[in-house]
Amino acid sequence: MSSTTTLQKAGGPTGEPGAPQSSDGLKAGLKNRHLSMIAIGGVIGAGLFVGSGGGIAKTGPAILISYALVGAMVVFVMRMLGEMAAASPNSGSFSAYADRALGRWAGFSIGWLYWFFWVVVLAVEATAGAVILESWVPAVPQWAWALIVMAVLTITNLGSVASYGEFEFWFAGIKVVAIAAFVGIGLLAVFGVLPGSDNPGAGFAHLTDTGGFMPNGWGSVLTGVLMVVFSFMGSEIVTLAAGESEDPRRAVTKATNSVIWRIGVFYLGSIFVVLTLLPWNDESITEKGSYVAALDSIGIPAAGQIMNVIVLTAVLSCLNSGLYTASRMAFSLGERGDAPKAFAKVNKRGVPTVAILGSTVFGFVAVVFNYTNPDTVFSFLLNSSGAIALFVWLVICLTQLRMRRILEAEAPEKLTVKMWLFPGLTWATAALITFVIGYMFYDDANREVVTLSTLVAGAVVAVGFVLDRRRKAAARAAA
């Protein structure tokens, strides 16, 4: 099925709100408030809360540069994706755009790789949530908690797209309130004006008073980039969800324009607070986690449990969005003939039931492997999907270079969002992403991840090429 047909089903030929929909197409069940929170929640993953302590320990205060570099990269990629999505909202997002701009092999490859990434994430996040829940209710074994959270969110997604949107609205809302409160309270403590704070408040002194701002040199900044880059994955979810919103173009434009302040406040702002409340080499940052350590230094009671609640919320949000994203990518692949046709079928509520269940089954299997074969099968799944985020961003860059020319020639009026400094900034972003991938081969801690991810990506691309050639040969024979 063509992308044009997909657009008509998602919201009419122009994506305008209120346009007629086919009875078997996706329905516009997401409200503007849902899209706003999906956009915000997409950049706040559990990795921000859990993984930031390791990056601080390796890099020191200069981890802010690492976050800024990756943040800028994500802002540019989202701007490119926003340009394409605003012009042509589609449930397949960058996979559908790559299909048109680079070839069927590209859309097939990046679509299936992205689907693979998210179904593995389902297992990781389900296990992370189960660890927290078991600590609260030890009578229920960890594996049972993992299956419970997977089952609950599967049922949620099967209900309707509005169910997904409502859950994500509240999950994201909790994360936003938590980080905003953390930044606000933390800054008061930094300057010594928070009543009852146990932290004396050193202002900005901790940024330089322990070995300087960059205690471990520029090399550590690059190491920091590798440690934080994967916590940004998910910002692109809003462009997939836009196809099921009341006003796709408005939603994408708003999300694209707000990504700068979202990354600035949630990532740079919160990490800045941690680094100004505590010396970067404080052992509690790695032992307790950066946010818990910062809250403890202020004297917030039960900081660990508070953060567990927030992390659990982030985990459930990631699970909810991961299942939604994987199913919609499978749906789009099915529509384009790159996946079983059953994936493209929807029920009377406009929900792609088979695509959801297919994604969930793989997620359940991965959860089982995480408990039965954690060091073999699951380790391979985890490592072979680890660098796919970077591959996706690189493909978005290459696709936008071609799609801009197509849109300028065919429908220039649809270019309501434009990439800045095109094409120079697009090429620069692609070069930076390529550099990061190359540096992963050099870095001992990431070499296995990028090697396995590259091998899996190469295999999928090869399959995509073969299928594309067969389609073309069949078309020539039919002609």
Side-chain angles (χ1 to χ4, degrees), residues 162-435:
S163 299
Y164 155 71
E166 198 63 32
F167 268 74
E168 191 57 25
F169 176 82
W170 291 105
F171 286 152
I174 292 171
K175 291 188 290 185
V176 169
V177 169
I179 292 187
F182 175 82
V183 172
I185 293 171
L187 287 175
L188 290 176
V190 165
F191 295 108
V193 294
L194 181 68
S197 173
D198 293 343
N199 192 303
F204 301 144
H206 288 320
L207 293 176
T208 56
D209 63 5
T210 311
F213 181 74
M214 198 177 294
N216 298 321
W218 274 105
S220 67
V221 173
L222 294 177
T223 301
V225 165
L226 299 186
M227 296 183 75
V228 307
V229 67
F230 303 109
S231 65
F232 282 82
M233 191 64 173
S235 55
E236 71 291 330
I237 291 174
V238 68
T239 64
L240 281 81
E244 294 176 82
S245 69
E246 298 169 336
D247 190 346
R249 287 203 175 92
R250 179 177 178 274
V252 169
T253 303
K254 186 177 179 181
T256 302
N257 291 337
S258 65
V259 70
I260 297 176
W261 72 258
R262 285 185 275 130
I263 289 175
V265 172
F266 298 133
Y267 280 86
L268 292 174
S270 61
I271 297 300
F272 176 81
V273 167
V274 172
L275 290 166
T276 48
L277 283 174
L278 293 166
W280 68 270
N281 58 354
D282 191 301
E283 292 182 357
S284 65
I285 291 178
T286 51
E287 291 174 357
K288 300 177 181 179
S290 55
Y291 291 84
V292 174
L295 291 173
D296 276 344
S297 76
I298 297 172
I300 301 293
Q305 287 304 321
I306 292 173
M307 193 51 58
N308 275 341
V309 172
I310 296 170
V311 170
L312 179 62
T313 301
V315 164
L316 294 176
S317 172
C318 190
L319 266 171
N320 193 39
S321 291
L323 183 54
Y324 171 82
T325 304
S327 65
R328 287 338 185 250
M329 186 57 73
F331 169 82
S332 177
L333 288 166
E335 279 209 317
R336 287 177 275 144
D338 290 332
K341 287 293 183 184
F343 282 4
K345 294 181 179 179
V346 299
N347 60 22
K348 61 183 180 181
R349 296 184 302 276
V351 175
T353 307
V354 177
I356 291 173
L357 293 177
S359 302
T360 303
V361 166
F362 195 98
F364 273 117
V365 170
V367 168
V368 172
F369 282 138
N370 197 8
Y371 289 100
T372 60
N373 304 88
D375 299 323
T376 52
V377 179
F378 188 74
S379 177
F380 170 79
L381 292 175
L382 194 61
N383 289 331
S384 60
S385 65
I388 286 175
L390 291 167
F391 298 159
V392 168
W393 294 343
L394 183 59
V395 168
I396 290 172
C397 294
L398 300 178
T399 300
Q400 190 262 340
L401 286 167
R402 175 67 179 143
M403 277 295 290
R404 167 66 77 88
R405 303 305 185 199
I406 294 174
L407 289 169
E408 285 177 337
E410 297 181 1
E413 72 280 0
K414 291 185 177 181
L415 283 168
T416 55
V417 176
K418 287 188 176 183
M419 176 59 181
W420 307 295
L421 302 177
F422 178 85
L425 193 52
T426 299
W427 280 115
T429 306
L432 179 58
I433 296 170
T434 303
F435 172 79

Side-chain angles (χ1 to χ4, degrees), residues 26 47 50 57 63 72 128 176 211 230 248 327 411 428 437:
L26 298 175
V50 178
I63 192 69
V176 169
F230 303 109
S327 65
I437 294 172

Side-chain angles (χ1 to χ4, degrees), residues 7-80:
L7 273 175
Q8 290 171 341
K9 289 187 175 184
T14 62
E16 295 297 331
Q21 294 175 313
S22 172
S23 61
D24 64 345
L26 298 175
K27 294 185 181 296
L30 293 175
K31 300 180 183 300
N32 288 330
R33 65 182 178 89
H34 293 153
L35 264 292
S36 296
M37 279 301 181
I38 290 170
I40 293 172
V43 296
I44 311 174
L48 173 62
F49 301 106
V50 178
S52 56
I56 292 172
K58 286 278 187 182
T59 311
I63 192 69
L64 289 170
I65 299 178
S66 303
Y67 273 105
L69 285 171
V70 179
M73 190 164 66
V74 172
V75 167
F76 298 150
V77 169
M78 278 298 294
R79 186 73 183 184
M80 295 176 223

